[in-house]
Amino acid sequence: MAAKILVVEDEPAIQELVAFTCSSNGYAVQRADSVRAAQEAIRNELPDLVILDWMLPDRAGIELLRELRATERTRQLPVILLTAKGAEGDRVAGLDAGADDYVVKPFSPRELVARVRAVFRRRAPEHSGETIRYGPLVIDPARHEVRVADRPIKMGMAEFKLLKFLAGHAERVFSRSQLLDNVWGDHVFIEERTVDVHVLRLRKALATAGAQHLIQTVRGLGYRLAATPAE
Ligand code: CA
């Protein structure tokens, strides 16, 4: 499943360039031309990353950024600020407001994509498209392959996505509802115990290589992927 990028930019030519650059690199793109349109798009479906212009017709992009950071649902949403403002003071303000990165216009499409990849690698490795490694575990997202100590492991798509997410954030604990939001998608109404079913299947799949211990239950909190047991 392609990572979703919301492009918030009011200048049609730049919006087109950014959207084209992202979609030709395999990302699913949604567009908004104002803060209000962006808020609506985010309300409808949480994207995986936002490319946010600073100067928008209704409000400043940085105000939307501050709102996103102040809201539980969007606090972790990766945001790249896009702007003509190159002054150091503005860069600092953008990063202080919680931007993950800052791209100054005019920019090259290759630079933008490199920055998108870098932000995904840092914030959401499961969307970077790159191989994820943790201990004996190797996940190749492009080929939908999982190996443990070089041994291929078969699993269903839901288990694959769950493993990819947990491995991308190894050693962090996620609640069932956080896993539902991140793996099955925001606004998808699935019962939380569905997560338990898929965790069970994932452990079974990993057990074929003796690696079921990688998926750990943290009592009262949720699940995590780790090589050493939770204390
Ligand atoms: Ca603008």
Side-chain angles (χ1 to χ4, degrees):
M1 200 177 63
K4 280 170 291 219
I5 297 180
L6 175 64
V7 177
V8 190
E9 166 65 84
D10 59 315
E11 285 163 70
I14 298 177
Q15 189 199 74
E16 182 59 34
L17 175 67
V18 174
F20 176 77
T21 300
C22 293
S23 60
S24 56
N25 279 275
Y27 298 107
V29 176
Q30 243 198 316
R31 308 172 186 217
D33 57 8
S34 65
V35 166
R36 197 204 299 204
Q39 286 169 321
E40 202 187 311
I42 292 168
R43 225 179 355 258
N44 289 335
E45 192 183 12
L46 198 59
D48 297 307
L49 182 143
V50 180
I51 296 176
L52 177 63
D53 187 31
W54 186 303
M55 304 284 272
L56 290 161
D58 51 351
R59 286 168 63 205
I62 195 166
E63 288 178 40
L64 174 62
L65 174 59
R66 289 199 185 101
E67 269 181 32
L68 295 174
R69 290 296 173 254
T71 308
E72 180 60 36
R73 181 169 166 258
T74 52
R75 186 162 294 147
Q76 300 293 329
L77 181 58
V79 175
I80 296 177
L81 266 183
L82 189 64
T83 177
K85 297 188 172 206
E88 191 186 39
D90 292 326
R91 267 204 295 274
V92 171
L95 295 171
D96 273 352
D100 293 277
D101 203 355
Y102 194 104
V103 177
V104 179
K105 297 176 199 171
F107 55 88
S108 81
R110 280 179 60 188
E111 182 193 350
L112 179 66
V113 167
R115 285 178 185 261
V116 166
R117 275 204 205 102
V119 168
F120 272 140
R121 203 178 299 133
R122 204 162 69 235
R123 298 287 311 283
E126 73 276 18
H127 294 311
S128 71
E130 291 168 5
T131 300
I132 300 172
R133 293 167 202 275
Y134 182 80
L137 185 68
V138 179
I139 304 170
D140 182 343
R143 304 167 75 178
H144 287 278
E145 269 180 12
V146 177
R147 287 172 174 271
V148 173
D150 241 13
R151 190 171 159 172
I153 308 287
K154 281 200 180 115
M155 63 183 67
M157 185 51 87
E159 287 73 52
F160 180 82
K161 281 161 62 181
L162 177 61
L163 179 65
K164 190 164 69 132
F165 178 76
L166 287 172
H169 304 268
E171 293 168 31
R172 269 182 59 193
V173 182
F174 294 93
S175 68
R176 288 166 180 80
S177 83
Q178 285 173 324
L179 289 174
L180 280 179
D181 282 357
N182 285 289
V183 179
W184 279 266
D186 185 56
H187 287 354
V188 174
F189 298 99
I190 306 176
E191 285 182 66
E192 291 195 359
R193 65 168 177 230
T194 306
V195 174
D196 302 338
V197 173
H198 289 288
V199 166
L200 198 73
R201 286 187 194 156
L202 178 55
R203 280 192 180 129
K204 258 190 189 162
L206 291 172
T208 61
Q212 66 277 15
H213 61 277
L214 287 175
I215 307 296
Q216 303 175 354
T217 305
V218 182
R219 268 188 79 171
L221 293 174
Y223 296 105
R224 68 172 202 164
L225 182 139
T228 50
E231 57 287 341

